[in-house]
């Protein structure tokens, strides 16, 4: 009997290992954010490169300590996290990942301002102007 039980468990483990597991994206892009990223990449698409990305990162600056950065990138770094949603590709800098995990990235276009907005569950505080945040 023990040999049969082990064989059944081994077979079950093989099935689990083969089945695809849905992975939740590190950052959730809204349709508006994805559309704006697409527009930015299309406007930049003067050179013909195989892959183009927008890369999300954080820098130490501002009243609260951290600020979001968005830059163009032609290559995916070894440890960059790739988010593919709504037909666009966003890279997340590995140093920023722990600060932005679970963040919802949106884009607003109003008469007086247009900007990406980050709804970050890790943010413990932000400055009065909303340009910087802290996770600690």
């Amino acid at each position: 009997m023990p040999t049969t039980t082990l064989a059944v468990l081994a077979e079950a483990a093989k099935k689990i290992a083969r089945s695809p597991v849905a992975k939740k994206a590190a950052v959730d892009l809204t349709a508006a954010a994805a559309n704006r990223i697409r527009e930015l990449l299309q406007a930049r698409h003067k050179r013909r490169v195989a892959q183009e990305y927008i890369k999300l990162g954080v820098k130490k600056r501002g009243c609260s300590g951290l600020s979001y950065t968005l830059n163009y990138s032609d290559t995916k770094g070894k440890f960059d996290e790739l988010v593919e949603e709504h037909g666009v590709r966003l890279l997340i800098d590995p140093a920023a990942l722990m600060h932005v995990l679970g963040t919802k990235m949106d884009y607003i276009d109003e008469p007086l301002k247009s900007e990406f907005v980050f709804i970050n569950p890790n943010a413990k505080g932000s400055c009065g102007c909303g340009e910087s945040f802290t996770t600690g």
Side-chain angles (χ1 to χ4, degrees):
M1 272 305 184
T3 307
T4 306
T5 305
L6 288 175
V8 170
L9 287 174
E11 188 61 33
K14 286 180 188 176
K15 287 180 183 178
I16 291 171
R18 285 182 285 206
S19 64
V21 177
K23 181 181 171 189
K24 182 160 173 43
V27 171
D28 182 32
L29 293 174
T30 65
N35 287 336
R36 182 60 181 150
I37 289 171
R38 188 176 299 104
E39 290 170 0
L40 291 169
L41 290 173
Q42 286 173 349
R44 181 179 184 256
H45 197 66
K46 294 175 185 156
R47 295 177 293 144
R48 297 285 179 195
V49 290
Q51 301 291 332
E52 288 184 310
Y53 310 93
I54 294 286
K55 189 170 187 174
L56 172 63
V58 295
K59 278 192 174 181
K60 290 185 179 184
R61 68 173 165 209
C63 308
S64 292
L66 297 172
S67 181
Y68 299 103
T69 62
L70 290 170
N71 295 295
Y72 293 107
S73 180
D74 293 333
T75 58
K76 179 186 177 298
K78 182 176 181 179
F79 298 107
D80 287 344
E81 182 76 17
L82 175 63
V83 175
E84 294 183 82
E85 277 191 285
H86 304 287
V88 298
R89 298 159 65 101
L90 174 78
L91 294 178
I92 303 172
D93 186 274
L97 189 58
M98 68 181 213
H99 299 291
V100 300
L101 197 61
T103 296
K104 183 176 185 177
M105 183 176 170
D106 197 7
Y107 182 75
I108 58 167
D109 188 9
E110 297 175 347
L112 295 178
K113 68 178 177 178
S114 299
E115 64 183 347
F116 285 102
V117 177
F118 299 89
I119 301 144
N120 188 340
N122 305 305
K124 303 295 183 214
S126 62
C127 65
C129 67
E131 292 297 320
S132 63
F133 67 100
T134 183
T135 57

